[in-house]
Amino acid sequence: MSATARGATAKKTVSELNLILLGPPGAGKGTQAERLQDDFHLPYIATGDILRSAVREGTQLGRQAKEYMDKGELMPDEVIVGVVLERIASDEARDGFLLDGFPRTAEQGRALDSALVDVGRRLTAALLIDVPDDEVVRRLSGRRVSVKSGRVYHVEFDPPKHEGRCDVDGSRLVQREDDKPETVRHRLEVYHRMTEPLIKHYEDKGILRRFDGARSATEVHDHIRATIATLRLEDEL
Ligand code: AMP
């Protein structure tokens, strides 16, 4: 590659922030993503949210997804890969993206890598938020969601003012089918078996960054922000 071409590639990747959030269900990825979106104005691509909204809308994707989701199983790779790559290629994600819930298998990781390579892009970092299994079960099985507003509560850590009712609109709070304790345990088993191998993959590429998800959301956020600031500085050097 000529020096000019190298310069052009380097210049393109410097300004981009292509991030993925890794970690077990219930690690607080969604909470961190909300804050990082505010910090860096990145389009947030959360496959779980995309699939849940497809289920609500009753689209073909939603009908296909529901069965897998209710059981805590993963959707077939080729379906979810298509959904995500389309978003990454969209104009909205031109200057970067924040992926949550994808990739979740080695195959999805490979598909993402090669799609980015094809267009001269690369991942900036894989942010791993780690939390022990017991804590995941405690967090997820206490989670309740408002049927109308979608606001999330926790019976122990963030209870509503009136039991079983949303503070915002008074609608009913329900437990997500996949937050039932036996399904949570199955999701964890799927995470360890299917998703954890990706940690080594990103470690080998030198882009893995670890965060202690047992700490408060604010501490985790401060740590992630500082890490991203350092990565950006390194990129500019
Ligand atoms: P989440 O909210 O990220 O825990 O995702 C909820 C459910 O959506 C998962 O248990 C899977 O059934 C499905 N799902 C989300 N992301 C993926 C993915 N990358 N690959 C396969 N299935 C997924």
Side-chain angles (χ1 to χ4, degrees):
M1 198 196 290
S2 73
T4 327
R6 253 196 317 272
T9 311
K11 194 153 188 257
K12 187 169 188 301
T13 51
V14 163
S15 57
E16 276 181 30
L17 211 44
N18 300 330
L19 301 171
I20 61 177
L21 282 165
L22 273 181
K29 301 189 294 294
T31 305
Q32 294 305 324
E34 256 174 45
R35 299 181 181 203
L36 294 173
Q37 258 176 290
D38 285 346
D39 295 336
F40 301 106
H41 308 288
L42 294 171
Y44 175 46
I45 305 169
T47 45
D49 289 352
I50 293 172
L51 295 176
R52 275 184 291 277
S53 98
V55 171
R56 274 196 304 275
E57 286 160 20
T59 63
Q60 199 199 338
L61 175 68
R63 284 197 297 279
Q64 201 180 350
K66 186 164 182 354
E67 223 178 288
Y68 293 97
M69 296 176 84
D70 285 351
K71 284 194 240 152
E73 300 283 354
L74 296 182
M75 290 275 290
D77 286 332
E78 62 277 12
V79 179
I80 199 78
V81 163
V83 171
V84 172
L85 294 189
E86 196 179 310
R87 301 266 177 134
I88 288 178
S90 74
D91 238 20
E92 174 200 42
R94 204 185 40 210
D95 296 327
F97 52 79
L98 179 59
L99 273 177
D100 173 2
F102 182 96
R104 232 167 166 122
T105 65
E107 181 55 40
Q108 293 178 16
R110 277 194 292 274
L112 177 63
D113 285 349
S114 77
L116 290 176
V117 166
D118 283 352
V119 291
R121 298 173 74 172
R122 65 177 175 84
L123 285 175
T124 315
L127 312 170
L128 169 65
I129 307 178
D130 220 354
V131 175
D133 285 7
D134 290 354
E135 178 66 14
V136 167
V137 175
R138 193 157 146 241
R139 287 183 184 183
L140 292 190
S141 48
R143 193 155 76 167
R144 299 291 181 274
V145 188
S146 156
V147 285
K148 248 200 203 156
S149 71
R151 190 186 183 295
V152 180
Y153 297 84
H154 192 283
V155 291
E156 198 182 331
F157 312 125
D158 182 18
K161 290 198 187 81
H162 304 284
E163 201 187 319
R165 293 278 153 198
C166 176
D167 293 350
V168 182
D169 55 23
S171 65
R172 215 158 37 88
L173 300 184
V174 295
Q175 184 171 44
R176 256 167 62 176
E177 199 54 44
D178 59 349
D179 281 345
K180 305 243 155 92
E182 61 281 10
T183 315
V184 169
R185 272 187 280 276
H186 183 60
R187 287 165 71 195
L188 269 169
E189 190 266 315
V190 170
Y191 171 76
H192 290 306
R193 184 163 40 92
M194 306 293 284
T195 310
E196 239 169 28
L198 281 168
I199 296 174
K200 171 138 193 344
H201 175 73
Y202 293 119
E203 208 161 30
D204 290 347
K205 281 172 159 287
I207 60 166
L208 186 80
R209 298 292 181 275
R210 289 177 188 268
F211 304 91
D212 180 3
R215 292 184 173 273
S216 74
T218 303
E219 282 174 297
V220 176
H221 175 227
D222 287 346
H223 188 184
I224 295 180
R225 237 185 359 187
T227 302
I228 294 174
T230 310
L231 285 170
R232 284 197 140 166
L233 268 179
E234 285 170 1
D235 238 0
E236 281 165 20
L237 291 178

